[in-house]
Amino acid sequence: MSRRTPLVAGNWKMNLDHVEAAGFVQRLSWLLHDARYDYDSSAEIAIMPPYTSIRSVQVLLQAERMRVKVGAQNVSAISGGAFTGDISARMLQRLGCSYVIVGHSERRKYHPEDDVDLVDKVRAVLAAGMQPILCVGESLSERSQGIELEYAVGQVSDVTRDLSDAEASRLLIAYEPVWAIGGGMSATPKTAQNAAAAIRQHFRDRYGEAVAGVVRILYGGSVNSNNAESLMQGADVDGFLIGGAALKPDEFAKIAGIVTLAAVARDGR
Ligand code: PGA
């Protein structure tokens, strides 16, 4: 095993109801079984369904004895009470979630949340014993000004600066440039690596090598089975947060296999 186990995480967004989700998991189970997927030495796999599908996904994964993790796409920062429509971290933890996406660019755009909300969400996820996947990344406007790295690192810093070392070491960061999401135009391997390296350097400066060495940094934005291998060449890229390609079990399983092989080739695992 390398220092950091790569993660292949599927962000289903608002897709796949609980019946469709069951069909997905059954197909994925067959594919991983057929590929003799070795959970101990391969990339970790996680699925982030909509809230309504989490329970059926989790039950089926257990029934099929699949060591695939489950996560959520958002969470309330508040622990409970009169907050119609919200879901608490504890509810997600009780459903067996391991991960929660915080600050995805679609949420930042459609449900504006300021950094204070994101800080509280990260804390709520950590306090419930789960791991936050904090999404950061520039839009074309910052990229055209040449300030994309400062911008992405600044987003990380704004949300994580007050965490303890123990808390910071349980974070995952997803570098997802907004211009690369959903459009079929992925970042180049060099762009993904440069951003991941800058984010890791930030953790090194702020927390030291022990924390910087364990924080997993994912790339997200139009990842598919054609570009996964080259994107994994960056030494600081620890896997992917995948949208569109994660809705197709065959493609998703293929990417998990590619990430496993690429990590072995890269890190000599
Ligand atoms: P995409 O989405 O893979 O469809 O670009 C990634 C994401 O938004 O997490």
Side-chain angles (χ1 to χ4, degrees), residues 106-115 117-118 121:
E106 285 151 14
R107 293 214 57 90
R108 290 183 194 250
K109 178 171 172 195
Y110 301 120
H111 306 271
E113 293 165 335
D114 60 23
D115 284 339
D117 295 325
L118 299 183
K121 287 185 180 203

Side-chain angles (χ1 to χ4, degrees), residues 162-176:
D162 293 329
L163 298 178
S164 68
D165 285 22
E167 288 170 329
S169 57
R170 289 171 52 217
L171 282 174
L172 287 85
I173 306 294
Y175 169 65
E176 300 205 307

Side-chain angles (χ1 to χ4, degrees), residues 120-172:
D120 291 345
K121 287 185 180 203
V122 164
R123 285 199 181 284
V125 172
L126 289 169
M130 301 177 291
Q131 290 185 269
I133 302 180
L134 174 66
C135 295
V136 300
E138 81 285 359
S139 64
L140 274 180
S141 145
E142 289 89 31
R143 174 149 287 265
S144 62
Q145 297 169 63
I147 55 165
E148 63 275 10
L149 294 183
E150 293 89 322
Y151 185 82
V153 170
Q155 285 180 312
V156 173
S157 170
D158 287 348
V159 177
T160 66
R161 72 171 114 226
D162 293 329
L163 298 178
S164 68
D165 285 22
E167 288 170 329
S169 57
R170 289 171 52 217
L171 282 174
L172 287 85

Side-chain angles (χ1 to χ4, degrees), residues 68-222:
V68 167
K69 303 261 179 72
V70 188
Q73 301 170 19
N74 184 37
V75 66
S76 171
I78 297 158
S79 61
F83 298 96
T84 303
D86 283 337
I87 303 287
S88 74
R90 181 168 181 279
M91 291 170 179
L92 297 174
Q93 182 271 330
R94 296 272 291 152
L95 277 175
C97 286
S98 303
Y99 298 108
V100 180
I101 298 173
V102 175
H104 188 280
S105 62
E106 285 151 14
R107 293 214 57 90
R108 290 183 194 250
K109 178 171 172 195
Y110 301 120
H111 306 271
E113 293 165 335
D114 60 23
D115 284 339
V116 176
D117 295 325
L118 299 183
V119 170
D120 291 345
K121 287 185 180 203
V122 164
R123 285 199 181 284
V125 172
L126 289 169
M130 301 177 291
Q131 290 185 269
I133 302 180
L134 174 66
C135 295
V136 300
E138 81 285 359
S139 64
L140 274 180
S141 145
E142 289 89 31
R143 174 149 287 265
S144 62
Q145 297 169 63
I147 55 165
E148 63 275 10
L149 294 183
E150 293 89 322
Y151 185 82
V153 170
Q155 285 180 312
V156 173
S157 170
D158 287 348
V159 177
T160 66
R161 72 171 114 226
D162 293 329
L163 298 178
S164 68
D165 285 22
E167 288 170 329
S169 57
R170 289 171 52 217
L171 282 174
L172 287 85
I173 306 294
Y175 169 65
E176 300 205 307
V178 177
W179 48 268
I181 293 178
M185 185 176 74
S186 152
T188 63
K190 189 160 176 274
T191 297
Q193 165 56 21
N194 285 348
I199 291 167
R200 196 173 307 287
Q201 186 58 43
H202 165 76
F203 280 103
R204 200 170 281 123
D205 296 341
R206 166 69 184 82
Y207 290 100
E209 188 57 44
V211 171
V214 295
V215 169
R216 285 184 289 176
I217 302 174
L218 313 179
Y219 166 76
S222 301

